[in-house]
Amino acid sequence: MEEPVQPQRNRNLTRRILAGVVIGVTALAIAWIFTPREPAIVAGLSGDWDARNAELVRRVGAQFPVGSAETTMRKALLDQGFTVSDGQAKWDRTEYPCRTFVTIRWQAQGGRITSTGATTFQGCM
């Protein structure tokens, strides 16, 4: 008498489903790990884009007031994930289908901040 083939098929199907779930969870975990975190200075901005920009300008001015050390500002922005170059720091995040951009600008003289500015905007496909 032949043995039924059905239990073997069920085990193979179960293994395939389980492997698919493991692969999916692993892919989500990797994507989460490599997604840039929102910088503290940008976290929680809400309202229309004019309100977001006004609040960002306020936060930048409060955290890096005129007269403070440019090196402190540069380090703080680097630590938050910004790309820093002469007089500006940039950060962006893609959340398909949109991409958010943040730019913080400053002028300094003698290593001290003389003015700051900031903008954020979003572009969507």
Side-chain angles (χ1 to χ4, degrees), residues 8-115:
Q8 181 64 29
R9 284 184 185 163
N10 286 342
R11 274 188 242 127
N12 286 340
L13 179 61
T14 302
R15 287 180 185 156
R16 287 180 180 172
I17 291 171
L18 191 56
V21 168
V22 168
I23 289 169
V25 168
T26 301
L28 287 173
I30 289 170
W32 181 81
I33 289 169
F34 290 105
T35 298
R37 303 293 168 252
E38 190 172 56
I41 201 160
V42 177
L45 291 177
S46 62
D48 64 23
W49 289 100
D50 289 337
R52 291 178 191 197
N53 278 305
E55 176 60 15
L56 181 59
V57 167
R58 188 200 66 72
R59 290 180 185 185
V60 170
Q63 189 169 347
F64 310 110
V66 170
S68 59
E70 180 183 20
T71 55
T72 302
M73 179 182 198
R74 292 173 67 87
K75 182 178 181 334
L77 294 173
L78 279 168
D79 289 348
Q80 291 184 50
F82 282 84
T83 302
V84 178
S85 60
D86 289 340
Q88 71 177 4
K90 292 184 176 189
W91 179 84
D92 65 81
R93 176 178 58 199
T94 301
E95 292 177 317
Y96 187 81
C98 299
R99 191 167 181 185
T100 302
F101 300 88
V102 177
T103 303
I104 297 174
R105 297 169 310 284
W106 66 90
Q107 292 181 337
Q109 200 169 38
R112 297 287 175 189
I113 297 170
T114 58
S115 66

